[in-house]
């Protein structure tokens, strides 16, 4: 019986032509043309076919399908990647594009995008130059490294370092550092991909120097240390720091073996020590190099506050080998990223300037009192727009997060506008802010309230958008 109904429903599915002739599709045809509109119709029909087959739909409604096809066609002409207002209080929000760029970096990108550039042209010799040259001396100045190379992202950097120096050899790593960074980046997988033989030592919570020592063999190419980024182990824990690893590597060499390289994947990789975060402050790249790391790699768009990139620093002969690796070509940066990275790095020449001008640093270090003033002015703007009896608005103390796997234990005190609903509710309002506002607004929804953290809301324009978004929600509820 059910089979028969299903077959009937499948037979009733409209043809593509029928959907194209439907009045709902008239505008779509004009908007995107016949072939793309037909594709949209096919997708919409196929979607309903799937629903019928899986038992989620019992019939095919041509009006519904045409409406869906029109939506799909419309999506073709609308930008998919759009600006978003981040009212979540998560500063390095990976889903929202991590770091926002300093005005100087945006301007630099603008310049090289609009015309030709010195990407691989050396004006001094009037001949071919290297794209690696633009950021290298800045990175070296800021970290004390001998040499540097920047590639597509830090995952690429880790991959490249392991392939170049530990392929078909052994890389020793603590079991406490076999981390997953999110998405599909897991240290053991990257090891396998680069053909490094992973030698795990220690336990989940404790790894001692002796564990590394016992793992050393003539095949040991590298002692790898991975910054655990997005989590912290607390309690009965122990790890081995870079200076101890370096000492061990040197002792191994003194016994006539090849000296293993000490490589730290630092993840966030701070260029400035953020004193404000006390003991939670991330170790700086310079400190790791001073402690004896041969190579350090870190992201461009986490604590650094620049574009997506992976920066590798270290001894010159090692970096030269990386530059000659074919992966350096496959994973190289494009001109826009180089421009943005160079401009961001330049701001760090004056740390005070970096703290003011690099948005990520500014948001991380802005005082709670300054954030509170913005939260209060947001409250005033929203209050002016809301009819009586809509909601209770208050400015409340809250916690912002660094995000992006940086400073995971750090509670950053902040202030947020709290909207408590007398009409409507927090879930609907949160959905409205994201889906119905011309610029989606990502706020925090917590139980019955919507929280707009003023720490990540910068500029009057964003404040206006948030106020307008909240007000427009109350226009939709009776
Ligand atoms: C974030 C992170 C990575 C990956 O860096 P991307 O720039 O996102 O590719 C690798 N290792 C650690 C320890 C990280 O924190």
């Amino acid at each position: 019986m059910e089979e028969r109904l299903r077959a009937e429903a499948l037979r009733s599915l409209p043809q593509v032509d029928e959907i194209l002739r439907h009045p709902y599709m008239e505008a779509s045809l004009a908007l995107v043309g016949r072939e793309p509109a037909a594709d949209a119709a096919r997708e919409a029909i196929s979607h309903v076919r799937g629903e019928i087959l899986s038992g989620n739909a019992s019939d095919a409604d041509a009006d519904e399908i045409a409406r869906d096809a029109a939506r799909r066609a419309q999506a073709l002409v609308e930008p998919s990647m759009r600006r978003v207002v981040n009212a979540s209080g998560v500063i390095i929000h990976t889903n929202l594009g991590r770091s926002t760029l300093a005005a100087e970096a945006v301007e630099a990108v603008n310049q090289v995008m609009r015309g030709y550039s010195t990407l691989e042209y050396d004006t001094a010799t009037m001949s071919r130059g290297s794209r690696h040259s633009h950021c290298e001396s800045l990175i070296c100045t800021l970290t004390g490294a001998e040499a540097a190379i920047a590639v597509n992202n830090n995952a690429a950097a880790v991959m490249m370092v392991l392939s170049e120096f530990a392929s078909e050899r052994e890389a020793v790593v603590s079991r406490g550092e076999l981390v997953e960074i999110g998405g599909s980046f897991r240290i053991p997988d990257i090891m396998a991909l680069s053909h490094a033989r992973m030698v795990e030592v220690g336990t989940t919570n404790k790894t001692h120097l002796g564990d590394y020592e016992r793992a050393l063999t003539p095949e040991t190419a590298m002692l790898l240390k991975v910054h655990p980024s997005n989590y912290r182990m607390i309690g009965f824990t122990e790890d081995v720091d870079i200076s101890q690893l370096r000492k061990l590597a040197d002792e191994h060499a003194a016994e006539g073996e090849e000296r293993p390289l000490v490589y730290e994947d630092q993840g966030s990789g701070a260029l400035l020590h953020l004193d404000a975060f006390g003991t939670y402050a991330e170790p700086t790249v310079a400190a790791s190099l001073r402690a004896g790391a041969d190579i350090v790699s870190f992201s461009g768009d986490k604590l650094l506050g620049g574009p997506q990139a992976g920066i590798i620093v270290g001894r010159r002969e090692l970096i030269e080998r990386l530059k000659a690796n074919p992966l350096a070509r496959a994973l190289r940066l494009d001109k826009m990223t180089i421009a943005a990275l160079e401009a961001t790095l330049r701001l760090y020449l004056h740390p005070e300037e970096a703290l003011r001008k690099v948005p990520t640093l500014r948001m991380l270090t802005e005082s709670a009192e300054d954030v509170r003033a913005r939260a209060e002015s947001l409250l005033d703007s929203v209050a002016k727009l809301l009819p009586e009896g809509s909601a209770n608005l208050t400015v409340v103390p809250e916690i912002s997060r660094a995000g992006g796997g940086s400073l995971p234990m750090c509670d950053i005190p902040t202030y947020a506008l709290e909207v408590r609903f007398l009409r409507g509710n927090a879930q609907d309002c949160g959905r409205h802010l994201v889906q119905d506002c011309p610029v989606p607004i990502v706020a925090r929804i917590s139980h019955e309230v919507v929280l707009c953290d003023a720490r990540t809301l910068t500029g009057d324009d964003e404040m206006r958008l948030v106020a307008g978004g909240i007000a427009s929600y109350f226009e939709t509820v009776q």
Side-chain angles (χ1 to χ4, degrees), residues 94 98 152-158 177 179-182 185 187 225-230 263 265-269 297-302 307-311 404-406:
T94 296
R98 289 203 181 151
N152 183 58
N153 57 15
N154 189 33
V158 177
E177 297 172 6
V179 298
E180 171 176 316
I181 308 299
F185 185 87
I187 293 294
K225 188 161 179 65
V226 183
H227 189 65
S229 289
N230 44 9
Y263 165 40
D265 168 16
Q266 254 196 358
S268 287
S297 73
F298 54 101
S299 289
D301 55 356
K302 291 184 181 171
Q308 178 189 305
I311 300 169
S406 311

